[in-house]
């Protein structure tokens, strides 16, 4: 159950800020996959209260009230979400506000909470949020799987259902859910529950073609080149042996291979080490002073 706090900023009091404008593809359905990331990849959630406060910011867009306390039309509908430690995935449909305005309201409201709580100043989110239009039911369904499998791919959860900060629990509890955010009824009128269950819970390494959050640089070394480097520089003949190395040695090799042009997903596929682990190893080391 969501807990509401006294220090939130009512939507009607939020002021707009100037953000860099860029051409965005327009969705014919008004539905977008939106990705928000902490500035410099920093964590944007430190404890459960922060996750709850972000969800409250989303609820304020669906359950809107004017200055007199009267209910007004929703700015948007949500169909799925997943809150990760340093980024967020949202599946949103515009209603009475455009996607840019919706995202500004979310980020301003939550940043106000975060900065006040942790006594910090400045931007919390990367300025240019990412978005992609969702114009057909097939891609919509793929996004439902991708968004809910994010914690599994990142090594934060063993399975989709165990992660507490995604919307999957709203789909599982098809009966009334207190403080329900997502319009699951609309989804389940288009996709049978049994079909969605099997599809979302089906293990998958990656749903190709989905806009990623990590800004992974393009790889410039072949699979054979990686195997040669492992054999010549580290004496490793069986590539899969990398995952069994002592942690510090494993991380050192991962970092050096990426520095020489290996891609995150390429290494995950070759070595058997999860994509999430490789991403964290490389990004953590890149931000060390």
């Amino acid at each position: 159950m969501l807990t509401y706090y006294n220090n939130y900023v009512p939507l009607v009091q939020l002021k707009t800020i100037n953000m860099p404008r860029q051409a965005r593809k327009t969705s014919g359905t008004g539905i977008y996959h939106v990705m928000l990331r902490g500035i410099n990849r920093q964590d944007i959630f430190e404890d459960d209260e922060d996750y709850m406060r972000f969800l409250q910011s989303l609820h304020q867009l669906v359950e809107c009230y004017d200055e007199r306390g009267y209910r007004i039309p929703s700015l948007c509908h949500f169909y799925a979400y997943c809150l990760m430690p340093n980024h967020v995935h949202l599946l949103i449909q515009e209603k009475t506000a455009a996607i840019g305005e919706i995202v500004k309201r979310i980020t301003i409201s939550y940043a106000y909470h975060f900065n006040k709580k942790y006594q910090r100043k400045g931007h919390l989110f990367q300025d240019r949020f990412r978005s992609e239009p969702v114009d057909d039911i097939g891609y919509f369904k793929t996004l439902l799987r991708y968004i809910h499998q994010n914690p599994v791919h990142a090594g934060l959860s063993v399975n989709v259902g165990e992660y507490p900060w995604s919307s999957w629990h709203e789909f599982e509890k098809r009966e009334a859910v207190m403080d329900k955010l997502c319009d699951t009824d609309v989804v389940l009128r288009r996709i049978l529950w049994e079909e969605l269950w099997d599809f979302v819970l089906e293990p998958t390494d990656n749903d190709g073609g989905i806009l990623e959050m990590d800004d992974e640089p393009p790889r410039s070394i072949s699979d054979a080149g990686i195997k040669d480097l492992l054999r010549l520089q580290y004496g490793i003949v069986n590539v899969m042996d990398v995952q069994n190395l002592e942690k510090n040695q494993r991380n050192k090799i991962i970092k050096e291979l990426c520095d020489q042009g290996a891609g995150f997903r390429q290494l995950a596929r070759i070595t058997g080490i999860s994509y999430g682990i490789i991403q964290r190893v490389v990004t953590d080391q890149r931000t060390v002073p």
Side-chain angles (χ1 to χ4, degrees):
M1 179 176 178
L2 290 179
T3 302
Y4 289 84
Y5 307 102
N6 292 327
N7 62 352
Y8 79 93
V9 182
L11 289 177
V12 294
Q13 295 180 11
L14 293 178
K15 297 180 179 179
T16 58
I17 59 173
N18 293 323
M19 297 179 70
R21 292 183 179 272
Q22 64 181 64
R24 295 187 184 276
K25 294 181 180 179
T26 302
S27 170
T29 63
I31 301 174
Y32 293 87
H33 172 211
V34 170
M35 293 148 285
L36 303 171
R37 182 170 62 192
I39 193 167
N40 297 325
R41 300 179 185 271
Q42 77 168 69
D43 284 354
I44 55 177
F45 304 108
E46 297 292 340
D47 57 26
D48 287 357
E49 180 189 45
D50 293 341
Y51 285 102
M52 298 293 281
R53 182 60 186 80
F54 189 91
L55 291 178
Q56 183 187 339
S57 295
L58 301 186
H59 270 277
Q60 291 178 34
L61 302 180
V62 176
E63 299 180 7
C64 303
Y65 298 88
D66 63 19
E67 293 178 333
R68 298 172 297 171
Y70 291 111
R71 184 74 181 266
I72 58 176
S74 300
L75 274 67
C76 62
H77 284 175
F78 291 98
Y79 296 117
Y81 66 82
C82 185
L83 314 185
M84 302 288 281
N86 70 352
H87 69 277
V88 171
H89 289 272
L90 303 170
L91 192 53
I92 305 175
Q93 184 173 29
E94 299 172 323
K95 287 301 177 184
T96 61
I99 193 66
E101 179 65 18
I102 292 167
V103 172
K104 281 196 288 186
R105 287 175 178 265
I106 294 170
T107 55
I108 293 172
S109 176
Y110 181 72
Y112 176 87
H113 153 80
F114 191 91
N115 285 353
K116 183 175 181 180
K117 179 177 177 179
Y118 298 106
Q119 298 181 351
R120 69 180 296 276
K121 296 181 180 180
H123 295 292
L124 177 62
F125 293 94
Q126 181 174 297
D127 285 343
R128 294 186 178 184
F129 72 92
R130 293 189 173 192
S131 67
E132 55 181 348
V134 184
D135 288 322
D136 64 80
I137 190 65
Y139 191 50
F140 182 91
K141 182 179 171 182
T142 297
L143 283 166
L144 288 175
R145 176 169 65 184
Y146 172 80
I147 289 172
H148 290 120
Q149 286 199 5
N150 233 243
V152 179
H153 290 162
L156 299 178
S157 179
V158 176
N159 57 60
V160 171
E162 288 187 0
Y163 192 68
W165 304 115
S166 84
S167 52
W168 186 243
H169 70 280
E170 296 189 13
F171 285 92
E172 286 185 312
K173 299 176 181 177
R174 287 170 288 165
E175 68 279 7
V177 176
M178 188 172 293
D179 296 314
K180 183 177 178 181
L181 174 65
C182 294
D183 200 341
T184 59
D185 292 340
V186 170
V187 177
L188 295 174
R189 283 199 292 269
R190 297 293 305 274
I191 307 171
L192 292 176
W193 167 244
E194 293 76 11
E195 177 187 351
L196 183 64
W197 170 275
D198 291 340
F199 185 74
V200 171
L201 271 63
E202 177 187 1
T204 177
D205 290 334
N206 178 42
D207 283 308
I210 293 177
L211 191 60
E212 292 292 347
M213 200 67 227
D214 51 63
D215 287 334
E216 177 183 342
R219 70 188 190 212
S220 58
I221 185 172
S222 66
D223 291 0
I226 290 176
K227 293 176 182 178
D228 287 341
L229 285 173
L230 287 171
R231 178 173 54 83
L232 296 174
Q233 293 188 17
Y234 309 105
I236 299 174
V237 177
N238 186 346
V239 182
M240 300 298 287
D241 287 344
V242 175
Q243 62 183 302
N244 299 320
L245 296 174
E246 185 271 334
K247 183 177 179 180
N248 289 336
Q249 183 183 8
R250 180 203 68 185
N251 292 353
K252 179 176 180 291
I253 290 175
I254 289 173
K255 173 64 167 54
E256 290 177 356
L257 288 174
C258 287
D259 286 345
Q260 296 187 61
F264 297 168
R265 298 193 186 282
Q266 182 185 25
L267 279 183
R269 173 171 50 79
I270 293 174
T271 65
I273 300 170
S274 79
Y275 171 87
I277 289 175
I278 293 171
Q279 180 189 27
R280 287 199 300 272
V281 166
V282 176
T283 55
D284 285 350
Q285 292 192 29
R286 283 176 179 169
T287 56
V288 172

